[in-house]
Amino acid sequence: MSKSFAISIVGTLRDRGHLAYLVGGCVRDLVLGREPADYDVATDATPEEVMRIFPETYAVGAQFGVVLVPLPDNTQKSVIPSADEISSSEVSSESRNLLVAGDIALNAQHVEVATFRSDVGYSNGRHPDQVRFSKDPREDVQRRDFTINGLLLDPVSDEVLDYVGGQNDIAAKVIRAIGDAALRFAEDKLRMLRAIRFAARFEYTIEPVTFAAIQRLAPQIHQVSRERVRDELTRMLTEGHARRAFELLDETGLLREVLPEIDAMKGVEQPREFHPEGDVFVHTLLLLENLPQPCPITLAWGALLHDVGKPPTFRLAPDRIRFDDHVDVGVKMAEVICRRLRFSNDDSEQILALVDNHMRFMHVDRMKYSTFKKFVRLPRFEEHLELHRLDCESSHRNLRIYNLVQEKLAELPPSAIRPEPLVTGDDLIGAGYQPGPQFKQILAAVEDAQLEGRLQSKKQALQFVRREFPWKRSTI
């Protein structure tokens, strides 16, 4: 997002006689010396006045004082966010681009312009019962979530307006709710998760009163939509400090509310010869700590859930601790979690595949060529291989299999992993075979022999079929 475009909006509003400032996360990031992902503007102009000044404005949340001004001449498309998401006092612009509210598309590069306001009542714990527009920026920042997000910036003088002590908290590396912490969280329960995410991302501590309020109100997180919870957890997993985020989720009591299956990992012992690092929860935290940056969403969730089936399958056998069928159980549990958090079908499929296949690497050095080649043909196999590396690095630290796979892949050209079929169903019909369910078996056998290097031509393949499947031939 162009900072100059946001500043031009401020300038235009001021030219029309209005107060206007940069506000929120972008000011925080500028104070921290970071490049903001997007820019928001706060003004005393009403939504109607803003829309008259900027004719192309989209009134996506005018009832809450929020409109979007798109960057001109940009063809990138996104979707308009819902009023429910707009109403949250500190929902970032980057998250809004992921939200759906209708069929209207708008320019993904935009500046959010919000009218100064005070909110009256949050009976549903999501958005205000009543919004009162204000002319005073001091009143507006009081209804925002955390002091570090309550800063205003005059881009002309470069002066930061701080009515809530945000600069001191940035200097002290503290996440502190503005005003009454319990009231701020009661207004929007998602703020509890946001406090965790900000503390982890910036490596800050959470101020004690704010922390205590989260602990007290944690059971009320279920008032938040599952999609919003999913998105916050995903950001925790992919912003670079996932381990700390999940430690804070645990310490505040939020973990057992949003992901009880992960909370159940605590204290579940593992065989020391394979897992000298500790229990299943400690092992999972180590994976989160070592996630690559940037990290695909599906890999992050796959790492989090790969051992989710261990707690219910724990068994103390005569020889050692065992987790019989933990992969199959884990896949079913991960499916429930993905459905609960309303992941897309594509993301769910990949997450479940990561859980389902993570133990197959232990058999790589005994796999037939055909089995290995089919294994590495899994969609997004690079994520499977990276999860295996993370799993090893977070336990026994033996990367022999990981290196073996890398060596085999380097030796195999793509044409050897996914060759053109030597025969097709039409070839079988031409050879006198009757179509039917047996075709799948025949073609699979031919493919395996081809991948093993035993067949190189169609002629050889048809000879193989006649020899191995003589009873399948038509007598007509």
Side-chain angles (χ1 to χ4, degrees):
M1 168 55 65
S2 169
K3 179 180 179 181
S4 60
F5 179 54
I7 293 174
S8 73
I9 291 175
V10 171
T12 300
L13 288 166
R14 290 185 174 186
D15 289 343
R16 300 297 183 90
H18 296 289
L19 295 175
Y21 304 95
L22 299 182
V23 68
C26 66
V27 182
R28 174 201 67 221
D29 288 346
L30 290 170
V31 170
L32 286 168
R34 297 169 175 246
E35 181 63 33
D38 41 51
Y39 290 85
D40 295 337
V41 171
T43 180
D44 64 354
T46 65
E48 293 77 13
E49 290 171 328
V50 173
M51 287 184 282
R52 281 197 297 270
I53 295 170
F54 302 99
E56 298 301 319
T57 297
Y58 295 90
V60 297
Q63 71 270 38
F64 301 110
V66 179
V67 295
L68 303 181
V69 180
L71 184 69
D73 302 321
N74 187 299
T75 58
Q76 185 181 1
K77 296 293 181 181
S78 183
V79 291
I80 291 182
S82 67
D84 184 54
E85 301 296 339
I86 286 289
S87 66
S88 174
S89 64
E90 278 296 321
V91 177
S92 69
S93 294
E94 65 187 35
S95 69
R96 291 188 184 91
N97 287 337
L98 303 175
L99 302 171
V100 177
D103 299 324
I104 304 173
L106 73 152
N107 192 303
Q109 295 295 310
H110 63 266
V111 170
E112 176 185 302
V113 180
T115 303
F116 299 152
R117 75 183 206 222
S118 61
D119 300 333
V120 181
Y122 281 78
S123 58
N124 62 5
R126 290 180 299 168
H127 50 70
D129 301 325
Q130 183 181 353
V131 170
R132 293 175 180 168
F133 295 143
S134 171
K135 295 294 183 180
D136 187 353
R138 293 175 179 82
E139 188 173 12
D140 181 73
V141 297
Q142 293 300 324
R143 53 93 186 173
R144 295 179 179 269
D145 56 3
F146 307 113
T147 60
I148 66 169
N149 296 330
L151 302 174
L152 299 160
L153 174 65
D154 182 337
V156 177
S157 66
D158 209 33
E159 178 188 2
V160 174
L161 282 68
D162 182 1
Y163 303 120
V164 292
Q167 292 184 97
N168 288 337
D169 284 340
I170 288 175
K173 298 185 175 182
V174 168
I175 301 297
R176 184 192 311 272
I178 293 174
D180 184 333
L183 179 58
R184 292 289 82 77
F185 294 133
E187 290 168 349
D188 185 354
K189 306 304 189 303
L190 187 72
R191 288 171 170 172
M192 294 188 286
L193 291 178
R194 286 170 58 82
I196 301 295
R197 178 164 64 89
F198 287 134
R201 182 208 285 182
F202 298 123
E203 299 180 275
Y204 285 11
T205 59
I206 301 177
E207 178 267 332
V209 174
T210 302
F211 192 92
I214 296 173
Q215 289 180 310
R216 187 166 64 255
L217 296 173
Q220 298 183 28
I221 192 64
H222 302 288
Q223 294 179 15
V224 179
S225 73
R226 295 171 182 180
E227 293 89 344
R228 296 177 79 199
V229 170
R230 176 201 64 213
D231 290 345
E232 283 299 316
L233 292 173
T234 296
R235 293 185 187 96
M236 292 179 198
L237 286 167
T238 58
E239 286 184 348
H241 299 279
R243 174 174 184 161
R244 183 56 184 149
F246 273 74
E247 288 173 341
L248 286 170
L249 286 172
D250 179 35
E251 293 166 15
T252 57
L254 282 167
L255 183 62
R256 64 175 171 266
E257 301 295 337
V258 296
L259 284 171
E261 300 90 346
I262 305 302
D263 185 67
M265 294 177 176
K266 294 185 296 182
V268 178
E269 295 182 17
Q270 302 187 96
R272 300 287 298 179
E273 58 267 39
F274 302 114
H275 290 279
E277 75 282 3
D279 66 29
V280 180
F281 186 63
V282 170
H283 172 65
T284 301
L285 289 178
L286 285 170
L287 263 80
L288 299 187
E289 184 177 11
N290 293 319
L291 286 173
Q293 292 300 315
C295 183
I297 290 172
T298 48
L299 174 59
W301 279 95
L304 178 67
L305 300 178
H306 79 289
D307 276 346
V308 73
K310 280 189 172 179
T313 59
F314 173 88
R315 180 171 69 90
L316 191 57
D319 55 342
R320 64 174 178 85
I321 294 170
R322 294 191 176 275
F323 301 98
D324 301 328
D325 300 320
H326 88 271
V327 170
D328 293 338
V329 172
V331 169
K332 293 176 183 177
M333 293 176 66
E335 183 177 12
V336 170
I337 293 169
C338 287
R339 191 182 311 120
R340 184 174 78 225
L341 294 177
R342 297 176 182 170
F343 277 93
S344 69
N345 290 337
D346 286 346
D347 283 349
S348 294
E349 184 177 352
Q350 177 65 3
I351 293 167
L352 298 184
L354 287 166
V355 176
D356 194 22
N357 289 282
H358 80 277
M359 293 296 291
R360 291 183 64 187
F361 284 90
M362 64 188 296
H363 305 299
V364 161
D365 52 358
R366 299 190 300 276
M367 283 181 179
K368 298 187 300 182
Y369 275 118
S370 57
T371 304
F372 177 78
K373 290 175 182 177
K374 288 180 179 179
F375 181 40
V376 300
R377 283 187 340 207
L378 284 170
R380 289 182 267 180
F381 180 75
E382 69 280 0
E383 292 187 17
H384 292 271
L385 186 57
E386 180 63 8
L387 177 56
H388 173 67
R389 184 190 69 80
L390 292 167
D391 204 4
C392 295
E393 291 278 17
S394 304
S395 53
H396 50 71
R397 303 186 69 81
N398 185 339
L399 294 178
R400 184 182 67 84
I401 295 297
Y402 174 80
N403 293 328
L404 177 62
V405 174
Q406 294 276 48
E407 292 169 5
K408 286 189 172 186
L409 287 174
E411 296 170 355
L412 290 170
S415 60
I417 295 174
R418 201 180 297 271
E420 288 293 323
L422 292 176
V423 296
T424 65
D426 288 341
D427 293 323
L428 296 181
I429 293 172
Y433 286 77
Q434 291 285 358
Q438 74 273 16
F439 271 32
K440 183 177 181 180
Q441 178 187 0
I442 296 172
L443 294 174
V446 171
E447 182 188 27
D448 282 351
Q450 180 184 7
L451 292 173
E452 293 287 344
R454 292 184 280 116
L455 301 176
Q456 282 86 35
S457 68
K458 178 176 290 190
K459 180 180 178 180
Q460 289 179 339
L462 289 173
Q463 290 173 345
F464 171 84
V465 171
R466 293 187 181 100
R467 183 175 66 252
E468 298 296 325
F469 301 93
W471 71 92
K472 299 296 184 184
R473 297 193 65 189
S474 171
T475 58
I476 299 176

